[in-house]
Amino acid sequence: GGLDSFEAFLKRDLLQDSEEAKRRAEIYPLKYGAFDILMRNNEWVVEKPLSERKQILKNIVPSGTDMELVISSKNPKKFTARLKKDPNVEGIVFKRLDSGYASGHRKDWTKKKFQKEADVAIMDYEKGEGKRKSIGALKVGVLRRGKLQEVANVGTGFTDEELADIKKKLDIGEKLFAKVKYMKVIIMTETKMVM
């Protein structure tokens, strides 16, 4: 349906038979997005600036294959606004063009996660443990095709007093609604991202 599917990816994973791999590649097409390079011809290039590493990638990534080069945007604000509307994009990592590569958190890189909001019905709760004995998580749902369908568990953002109050209201059958913020976590395959 145009969305990435980890389950579909697993149907291609670890195949030994080359004919079966070709057949499944037609049914479950994947595209590999190259956004950075760490080594070329057995030499580390991590100290080179990102702009230079991107140029190295341009010279390596073959055209007409299932591999594509993910290019940085010249207008990050406009690009970010466009990506925020895409339901398949979790966020963006901005890197300074003159920065080298290093693992972990970097002052030269900024990660921006896209949060979405939804109005949900609080359907039930899971009993908590330890300090949160009243409620561990709220089971929330949305209306789909006229039926309330559970979509997630919400376990953060509440004080102990708020959870105790919510539990009391749910236990007597009160109908409760909430606005929640969430992030959609997706395995990226074909979606283009700025990395």
Side-chain angles (χ1 to χ4, degrees), residues 142-149:
V142 295
L143 214 55
R144 287 195 180 144
R145 296 184 189 100
K147 286 184 77 176
L148 189 60
Q149 182 180 344

Side-chain angles (χ1 to χ4, degrees), residues 5-193:
S5 166
F6 188 60
E7 187 180 331
F9 166 73
L10 289 177
K11 292 176 182 173
R12 286 188 51 174
D13 194 30
L14 302 176
L15 290 175
Q16 301 295 317
D17 183 326
S18 61
E19 288 304 311
E20 180 62 13
K22 283 179 191 172
R23 191 181 76 72
R24 293 221 194 151
E26 289 176 17
I27 300 168
Y28 307 105
L30 292 175
K31 193 171 277 188
Y32 180 81
F35 59 89
D36 207 339
I37 186 167
L38 309 181
M39 182 179 270
R40 178 186 61 182
N41 298 332
N42 291 325
E43 282 186 40
W44 290 103
V45 294
V46 292
E47 296 301 320
K48 294 185 182 299
L50 177 62
S51 56
E52 209 172 309
R53 295 195 314 272
K54 291 276 188 188
Q55 191 57 51
I56 292 168
L57 273 177
K58 280 184 186 178
N59 297 333
I60 292 174
V61 174
S63 59
T65 66
D66 288 337
M67 189 173 183
E68 69 175 286
L69 179 62
V70 182
I71 307 286
S72 299
S73 172
K74 300 278 189 233
N75 189 336
K77 284 185 181 177
K78 190 175 180 182
F79 193 70
T80 302
R82 185 165 54 92
L83 284 182
K84 271 181 132 173
K85 295 174 187 169
D86 187 331
N88 295 329
V89 177
E90 179 190 336
I92 302 177
V93 175
F94 294 98
K95 296 181 180 181
R96 289 178 51 101
L97 286 173
D98 60 355
S99 69
Y101 181 90
S103 60
H105 294 288
R106 297 278 317 256
K107 64 180 183 340
D108 294 332
W109 300 357
T110 303
K111 188 174 186 178
K112 181 168 179 59
K113 292 185 176 185
F114 299 147
Q115 285 191 333
K116 296 169 178 31
E117 281 189 355
D119 292 315
V120 296
I122 300 174
M123 300 171 67
D124 201 355
Y125 61 87
E126 291 179 355
K127 194 164 172 26
E129 295 176 5
K131 286 174 65 178
R132 292 182 67 174
K133 287 181 184 166
S134 61
I135 293 179
L138 298 172
K139 295 181 178 191
V140 300
V142 295
L143 214 55
R144 287 195 180 144
R145 296 184 189 100
K147 286 184 77 176
L148 189 60
Q149 182 180 344
E150 186 179 327
V151 292
N153 289 347
V154 178
T156 60
F158 302 100
T159 65
D160 290 339
E161 293 78 22
E162 288 169 332
L163 287 173
D165 185 49
I166 291 168
K167 181 182 183 307
K168 192 184 303 180
K169 289 176 180 175
L170 286 173
D171 286 346
I172 61 171
E174 217 172 298
K175 293 189 183 338
L176 299 175
F177 301 90
K179 185 178 289 288
V180 295
K181 288 186 178 180
Y182 68 96
M183 287 184 311
K184 187 171 183 180
V185 178
I186 286 202
I187 303 298
M188 303 303 292
T189 55
E190 294 187 39
T191 307
K192 291 180 181 166
M193 292 179 66

